[in-house]
Amino acid sequence: MTKSPSTKPADTATADRNPFRYSAQLAGEIESRWQTRWERDRTFAAHNPGDPGFDATQPKLYCLDMFPYPSGEGLHVGHPLGYIATDIYCRFRRMRGFNVLHPMGFDAFGLPAEQFAVEHGVHPRLTTERNIATMVRQLKALGLSYDWDRRVATIEPDYYKWTQWIFLQLYHSWFDPRVGKARPIDELSRGLESGELVVDDHHRATPAVEGGRVWADLNENDRVAVLANHRLAYLAEVPVNWCPALGTVLANEEVTNEGRSDRGNHPVYKRPLKQWMLRITAYAERLADDLDHVQWPEPVKLMQRNWIGRSEGAMIDFPIKATDEPIRVFTTRPDTVFGATYMVLAPEHPLVDRITTDQQRRVVTDYRRQTQRRSEVERMAEAGGGEKTGVFTGGHAVNPATGREIPIWIADYVLMGYGTGAIMAVPAHDLRDWVFAWRFDLPVPTVVEPPAGYEPTSEEAALAAPDKRCPFSGWGTSVNSANDEVSLDGLPSDEAKRIITEWLESTGRGCREVQYKLRDWLFSRQRYWGEPFPMLHAPDGRTVAVDESELPVVLPEMEDFTPEASDDPEAPPRPPLARAPESWRIVQRDGVRYERELNTMPQWAGSCWYYLRFIDPRNDEQLVGHDAERYWMAGGGVDFYVGGVEHAVLHLLYARFWHKVLYDLGHVSTPEPFGRLFNQGYIQGYAYRDARGVVVPAAEVVDENGSPAAEVQDRAGAKFFWQGDPVTQEYGKIGKSLKNVVSPDEICEEYGCDTLRLYEMYMGPLDASKPWAPRDIIGPFRFLQRAWRLAVDERTGELTMRDEPDADVERQLHRTIAKVTDDIERLAYNTAIAALIELVNAATSAGGLTRDQLQRFVLLLAPFAPHVAEELWAKLGHQQSLACEPWPSYDPALVTHDQVELPVQLQGKVRARVTVDADADPALIEAAVLADEKVKAALAGRSVRKVVVVPGKIVNIVVGRG
RNA sequence: GCCGGAGUGGCGGAAUUGGCAGACGCGCCGGAUUCAAAAUCCGGUGCCCGCAAGGGCGUGUGGGUUCGAGUCCCACCUCCGGCACCA
């Protein structure tokens, strides 16, 4: 790592010779001394119920950071932003008498270590463990008050044993719609055996109805298929995102909008593959509904709701001539069914073959082939009002409302993955159908009249037809919508929707339906560096689970873990574990030769439940002990969870899903894992790209004069170069991907970590993104110097204290205690620190503090700059750490002033000030104001029409004209 | 396109409930100290006019509500984030 050039003040701060002065050197000594003591004394160890030292009378706080991936770059200054924030909160709560659980660990499986291993031939375990060691050292150097005894890493067999165990629970469970909960799969078999449940044509269990098949009639294969169809973890041949360059499949969440891999930006293709899936869709409703009960940022809740994508509407069956089977469609606007003049199937829809007439067969086949070839990128590029393509199948269906025959088309604007992969097209009231209908000359009857005075939206107006007609996709009043049995004419859309749905249901033509955008979670990866699945495959194709007693299934040692990359989108994946030793791969059992599952779990697996393991990290009997879990998760889960907003829909959704399954099965006591969530902002910085658009290391970029880019102050018009070539500047989140990482190590070395802690918290509001401005770090450093000098005589190193308190300083101390206490609770650390600075400045001017005042100040400072606070606390004669010292209190009477100066406004402009008693009543204030010389002068004889007095705030005089 | 979030001095930001806009810090200017420099300390610092007293303007833009608007309402502009043919 290249060290950035030191700024001038830091050089001299380091070189300070006075041993009693708060220099970087002294800060370093103090910090390592206290870090060593905290570790030796286990100052921050949390005690579980039943442990010696556990105090049941204290309230608890479970405060959690999103654990980091141990990257080769180590920590950058963006990581500690959240960590310092939670640390301050935890230290504060300990002083307020809370039993605090504050753990840290590592999310250590994942692609970067594997890719590094492939490139450099080092086992990912070695690089990962080395990276963990570096990050632990860096975290400890920041003085974060973690209970390090509880450290976990997802790659440890003791840990992933339980990740595998949870997978087995998913495999052995199904979602019982009758109770809306996960239940053991045995209950399903029992329900089927007893006849309470029967099996339908799609191998699905339903409550006993006519025509269902009973369990006794099924052969072994069918029974296995029925159970597989309900398990929360199941194998399925599904169209997946296959990335040949990475040699693996990716989750939807890992594919960019451009249809490329999130990591590495390689092309991704859709292809069918047999993969492990998790039935997260079963929980769509609960995942959406339970967001109402968590204290999370609204934007994150909204992102999850959008991701889950609930829509209410109806399923409608359109009979077709060619087969007995109707085409089923989902629509959110059943009230527009009278306007459905054609149907569209996704090109991949299974009914296409049976509907297509001989005459149309060639064009249909051509179109389907063409669609298949076109990448997601191309399909996306045409999205949103762009050109629509499609062909007529030659087949017809009957509109169940009008009874008229309508043509069936195929088009790639209908997606197989949502709804039923088929739509009824209502061109007058759907923008996509409108574009398609005009292109292919299909009828466009109006069945909804917009409200009076309706102006088309810009989007609707942009699609105006040659005759100036516009589509209307809003809610209005139904027209031309009646048959012999039902009429919607004159009804508002919402009512029409209800009436038509009732009619559809009563006539067996359709039913009410809720659809979700959320898809089941693709859970297999063709990688080495992940958790092996505890699953075995028999030669006859059957899949069996490894017994719980045989966990963990340990990842085998291998030399070559290269994924088989290829340029051929059709090449079948061969995961690295296919090359594992046969002793691992093959399991003999009861004379059957099983092969282990060769895929591994995705990186999200380990992070789905780590917050539970922290509660009881060394338990080898259970995932987490029941009493400890009940104690720490009480009150709705983790009390305070802090991390970046980038996990809004991935980690946070997956973890909620697993938690709900564990809750249903009785392993945890709360329906949600994280009661309160907070997203810290990003630290941003400049980054640079070369002519090809490739990011270059920011630390090596220079300006025209050859000075490092980081030191350039005036950036308007500045030109930058990397290795002699011009580069362009941009501004973004600091991190590995923009190669503009700044390490906290250098800041700690130049100023001490107490300064870094203060600086990062002082930069601005915790949830805002803000620029890394190394120039500003000197400010908090100077503050600590002044604070130190306030307490310590720099000539002798002895404490300096006055005997009698200054009355004004005492009042300000009370106000500061009040403000800092309140600000910490609100996470407004920047203003809390500003108040501490003001206090130090005022106390310095007033000639110092008494011993008692100094003690209270040190306690206030402790959560923010714990090392220097501990040092001063020890100098004040205390033997014990201040970590659990009671937080100082304040006297409300001393927080307010006896007299207040009120600004006096004339027509909204401040013209004078009057000083009155704080509790003076408005009439008295008004008299005092009107008697004031300056007010009289400013009035200049004009008449006073009204005087607004806001006691304690302001006086505003409204004058008459002239 | 849709859905969120945000725009305040040279810079980071403060103003918690409609009540003195710019707390606090950086930077800059001046002074003390010093052989000199750094560090440190003291004072000043929104912009414009003025020697000053004082005056005018000022929270992205334009309107509105109010005794009073950074804060509330309407319209728009810019930037950041999420989603994107989801029927």
Side-chain angles (χ1 to χ4, degrees):
Chain A
M1 180 154 313
T2 54
K3 193 172 178 322
S4 80
S6 304
T7 51
K8 280 183 189 166
D11 272 349
T12 52
T14 314
D16 203 306
R17 291 290 155 81
N18 183 341
F20 301 126
R21 155 163 233 197
Y22 190 80
S23 61
Q25 197 193 331
L26 180 58
E29 288 165 18
I30 291 172
E31 285 162 12
S32 54
R33 177 155 61 243
W34 285 98
Q35 285 162 13
T36 308
R37 262 195 70 173
W38 292 331
E39 187 151 2
R40 187 195 68 198
D41 299 346
R42 301 181 68 235
T43 306
F44 306 114
H47 305 293
N48 280 357
D51 286 355
F54 175 75
D55 181 354
T57 62
Q58 291 191 338
K60 65 96 188 182
L61 172 76
Y62 184 0
C63 177
L64 183 66
D65 292 305
M66 289 186 185
F67 66 165
Y69 176 78
S71 117
E73 331 280 315
L75 287 185
H76 61 71
V77 292
H79 284 109
L81 194 67
Y83 304 158
I84 296 166
T86 50
D87 189 60
I88 290 169
Y89 198 72
C90 288
R91 287 177 178 273
F92 170 70
R93 283 294 185 90
R94 278 189 205 100
M95 294 172 81
R96 303 214 86 181
F98 278 69
N99 197 4
V100 172
L101 175 57
H102 189 40
M104 181 43 93
F106 297 91
D107 186 16
F109 276 127
L111 203 50
E114 185 166 312
Q115 282 171 335
F116 185 89
V118 169
E119 281 165 38
H120 297 88
V122 191
H123 195 285
R125 172 167 293 109
L126 294 179
T127 50
T128 305
E129 281 170 359
R130 196 168 61 209
N131 294 346
I132 289 176
T134 302
M135 287 177 86
V136 167
R137 179 186 59 72
Q138 289 181 304
L139 290 166
K140 287 187 175 172
L142 290 168
L144 302 168
S145 63
Y146 295 122
D147 179 356
W148 283 109
D149 296 341
R150 293 175 184 254
R151 168 180 147 187
V152 298
T154 54
I155 54 169
E156 294 157 3
D158 285 351
Y159 183 91
Y160 68 68
K161 169 184 175 176
W162 297 104
T163 312
Q164 293 171 336
W165 182 87
I166 296 172
F167 181 84
L168 287 182
Q169 308 313 303
L170 291 158
Y171 179 75
H172 290 307
S173 304
W174 70 300
F175 189 86
D176 186 343
R178 296 168 301 179
V179 289
K181 286 166 74 169
R183 302 299 308 159
I185 195 85
D186 300 348
E187 286 189 9
L188 175 61
S189 334
R190 281 202 300 273
L192 288 161
E193 277 163 24
S194 73
E196 196 184 323
L197 295 167
V198 295
V199 177
D200 72 9
D201 296 342
H202 305 285
H203 283 117
R204 272 190 289 262
T206 61
V209 287
E210 278 298 296
R213 288 190 293 166
V214 293
W215 195 239
D217 294 346
L218 298 182
N219 64 30
E220 187 57 28
N221 279 346
D222 282 339
R223 288 182 173 190
V224 168
V226 169
L227 294 185
N229 232 341
H230 291 82
R231 294 179 190 276
L232 294 181
Y234 62 99
L235 272 175
E237 179 101 1
V238 286
V240 298
N241 305 301
W242 166 241
C243 180
L246 293 177
T248 186
V249 304
L250 300 170
N252 286 337
E253 291 85 340
E254 293 169 307
V255 181
T256 65
N257 292 341
E258 289 77 37
R260 303 183 80 88
S261 63
D262 194 30
R263 224 173 249 291
N265 203 35
H266 302 294
V268 173
Y269 304 87
K270 283 272 184 203
R271 62 171 293 183
L273 274 181
K274 201 161 197 184
Q275 302 283 295
W276 282 104
M277 304 289 293
L278 299 187
R279 209 177 296 278
I280 190 172
T281 50
Y283 281 82
E285 189 176 350
R286 277 168 62 188
L287 287 169
D289 290 351
D290 289 355
L291 286 171
D292 293 339
H293 308 301
V294 291
Q295 203 185 334
W296 284 21
E298 283 305 320
V300 173
K301 290 191 189 183
L302 199 65
M303 276 158 77
Q304 288 217 351
R305 286 201 182 95
N306 290 342
W307 191 263
I308 296 165
R310 181 192 155 94
S311 357
E312 269 181 50
M315 287 293 191
I316 306 180
D317 288 336
F318 284 63
I320 30 179
K321 287 177 154 181
T323 69
D324 330 326
E325 205 179 332
I327 300 177
R328 171 165 285 206
V329 301
F330 172 71
T331 175
T332 53
R333 292 296 299 274
D335 57 301
T336 63
V337 65
F338 286 89
T341 51
Y342 64 103
M343 301 191 76
V344 188
L345 306 186
E348 310 90 328
H349 198 284
L351 282 177
V352 173
D353 271 337
R354 287 153 70 187
I355 291 163
T356 306
T357 57
D358 293 342
Q359 209 179 359
Q360 292 298 101
R361 185 141 330 254
R362 241 191 61 206
V363 287
V364 167
T365 310
D366 284 352
Y367 184 77
R368 294 179 86 180
R369 197 176 297 138
Q370 186 195 325
T371 313
Q372 216 170 20
R373 257 205 317 273
R374 288 161 73 224
S375 66
E376 292 278 302
V377 195
E378 289 167 299
R379 282 176 75 164
M380 297 278 198
E382 288 160 17
E387 277 296 286
K388 297 263 183 289
T389 61
V391 294
F392 178 44
T393 61
H396 287 84
V398 177
N399 182 321
T402 62
R404 278 193 214 109
E405 269 195 10
I406 57 174
I408 305 171
W409 288 63
I410 61 171
D412 65 4
Y413 81 90
V414 174
L415 309 173
M416 197 54 224
Y418 183 78
T420 61
I423 61 157
M424 64 174 203
V426 185
H429 307 293
D430 180 280
L431 306 188
R432 295 151 301 183
D433 299 345
W434 169 272
V435 172
F436 193 84
W438 281 99
R439 165 131 194 228
F440 294 106
D441 204 21
L442 294 153
V444 188
T446 296
V447 292
V448 183
E449 211 59 77
Y454 179 80
E455 286 293 327
T457 64
S458 58
E459 208 182 345
E460 287 167 352
L463 296 175
D467 64 1
K468 301 279 193 276
R469 268 177 69 197
C470 289
F472 169 63
S473 56
W475 289 41
T477 307
S478 288
V479 293
N480 305 322
S481 298
N483 60 27
D484 295 342
E485 296 172 24
V486 66
S487 171
L488 307 178
D489 290 346
L491 295 177
S493 298
D494 53 349
E495 207 171 317
K497 193 169 159 177
R498 190 172 54 79
I499 301 280
I500 192 73
T501 307
E502 282 167 12
W503 178 76
L504 288 166
E505 279 181 342
S506 68
T507 57
R509 291 177 161 97
C511 59
R512 208 185 86 85
E513 175 74 16
V514 176
Q515 279 284 320
Y516 298 93
K517 282 191 229 173
L518 188 68
R519 315 288 167 80
D520 277 343
W521 177 10
L522 173 67
F523 201 64
S524 301
R525 295 295 182 278
Q526 290 69 48
R527 288 176 190 159
Y528 169 74
W529 195 228
E531 297 89 347
F533 283 89
M535 303 302 296
L536 302 171
H537 301 286
D540 64 5
R542 279 182 311 114
T543 302
V544 298
V546 168
D547 193 80
E548 279 180 21
S549 64
E550 294 170 46
L551 298 181
V553 176
V554 177
L555 194 61
E557 283 305 318
M558 286 173 62
E559 306 257 307
D560 175 17
F561 12 73
T562 322
E564 245 162 70
S566 132
D567 293 329
D568 179 3
E570 304 284 321
R574 250 177 62 87
L577 287 180
R579 297 190 303 272
E582 199 175 301
S583 58
W584 182 86
R585 231 174 56 236
I586 303 300
V587 178
Q588 291 284 350
R589 192 164 297 174
D590 304 329
V592 181
R593 186 185 147 97
Y594 290 94
E595 183 173 43
R596 287 197 189 275
E597 167 68 49
L598 300 174
N599 290 303
T600 54
M601 299 186 196
Q603 197 185 344
W604 309 110
S607 61
C608 267
W609 70 281
Y610 72 113
Y611 56 94
L612 292 172
R613 194 60 180 169
F614 279 140
I615 291 172
D616 197 7
R618 309 291 168 242
N619 191 331
D620 49 16
E621 303 291 316
Q622 280 173 290
L623 165 98
V624 55
H626 192 59
D627 290 346
E629 189 276 330
R630 285 243 306 240
Y631 177 73
W632 289 112
M633 295 293 280
V638 173
D639 297 289
F640 192 36
Y641 191 29
V642 175
V645 72
E646 69 271 20
H647 293 115
V649 286
L650 303 171
H651 159 62
L652 287 170
L653 193 65
Y654 295 150
R656 292 180 64 220
F657 164 49
W658 279 32
H659 193 89
K660 285 183 184 303
V661 175
L662 293 172
Y663 174 67
D664 288 352
L665 298 176
H667 302 297
V668 298
S669 59
T670 63
E672 283 286 330
F674 313 118
R676 180 180 175 204
L677 174 73
F678 185 90
N679 297 123
Q680 90 274 21
Y682 297 127
I683 288 188
Q684 301 189 289
Y686 291 103
Y688 306 87
R689 287 178 197 274
D690 66 14
R692 293 171 305 155
V694 176
V695 179
V696 302
E700 298 168 21
V701 173
V702 295
D703 72 358
E704 294 147 278
N705 311 318
S707 335
E711 290 180 12
V712 175
Q713 304 231 341
D714 183 15
R715 284 174 183 271
K719 289 191 169 59
F720 296 101
F721 301 88
W722 180 65
Q723 298 188 345
D725 297 321
V727 291
T728 54
Q729 175 191 283
E730 64 186 79
Y731 182 70
K733 178 186 168 188
I734 226 165
K736 209 165 50 174
S737 57
L738 284 179
K739 294 190 183 166
N740 56 359
V741 164
V742 182
S743 163
D745 295 359
E746 33 192 291
I747 312 298
C748 287
E749 200 179 308
E750 289 176 22
Y751 297 95
C753 77
D754 277 339
T755 294
L756 176 66
R757 291 171 61 107
L758 280 171
Y759 169 63
E760 291 215 6
M761 294 302 101
Y762 189 59
M763 290 171 85
L766 198 56
D767 55 358
S769 290
K770 46 233 152 187
W772 181 250
R775 193 176 71 176
D776 293 349
I777 299 172
I778 191 73
F781 181 69
R782 285 181 189 148
F783 160 64
L784 287 180
Q785 283 190 319
R786 287 200 300 275
W788 180 262
R789 200 179 309 118
L790 181 63
V792 177
D793 186 326
E794 292 188 337
R795 291 162 307 185
T796 63
E798 298 298 311
L799 286 173
T800 57
M801 290 171 301
R802 55 190 284 169
D803 294 331
E804 290 301 317
D806 177 277
D808 289 339
V809 170
E810 179 63 17
R811 278 177 174 274
Q812 184 162 357
L813 180 55
H814 281 260
R815 279 200 303 280
T816 307
I817 295 170
K819 177 152 182 66
V820 171
T821 307
D822 185 45
D823 281 354
I824 292 178
E825 283 295 353
R826 295 188 304 119
L827 304 173
Y829 298 150
N830 53 333
T831 50
I833 294 168
L836 290 170
I837 294 173
E838 284 182 88
L839 178 67
V840 166
N841 292 347
T844 303
S845 309
L849 296 174
T850 64
R851 164 177 291 272
D852 177 59
Q853 287 176 325
L854 195 55
Q855 305 221 49
R856 283 177 284 160
F857 166 69
V858 166
L859 293 174
L860 282 187
L861 181 65
F864 304 94
H867 309 84
V868 67
E870 289 271 25
E871 186 72 11
L872 291 172
W873 190 247
K875 272 185 183 292
L876 282 160
H878 300 277
Q879 305 295 313
Q880 295 291 313
S881 162
L882 52 62
C884 291
E885 205 59 35
W887 186 250
S889 59
Y890 62 90
D891 178 356
L894 288 178
V895 169
T896 54
H897 297 266
D898 293 340
Q899 293 228 309
V900 287
E901 189 189 59
L902 294 183
V904 180
Q905 293 186 331
L906 238 85
Q907 302 292 73
K909 290 206 193 314
V910 179
R911 297 297 181 189
R913 288 164 193 288
V914 292
T915 302
V916 296
D917 288 345
D919 55 359
D921 68 87
L924 210 75
I925 295 171
E926 184 172 335
V929 164
L930 293 176
D932 185 83
E933 287 305 323
K934 272 188 138 173
V935 172
K936 283 182 186 166
L939 275 171
R942 285 177 293 182
S943 63
V944 174
R945 200 165 71 187
K946 186 177 170 189
V947 180
V948 180
V949 178
V950 186
K953 295 280 189 190
I954 204 166
V955 178
N956 197 355
I957 302 173
V958 190
V959 297
R961 276 173 219 286

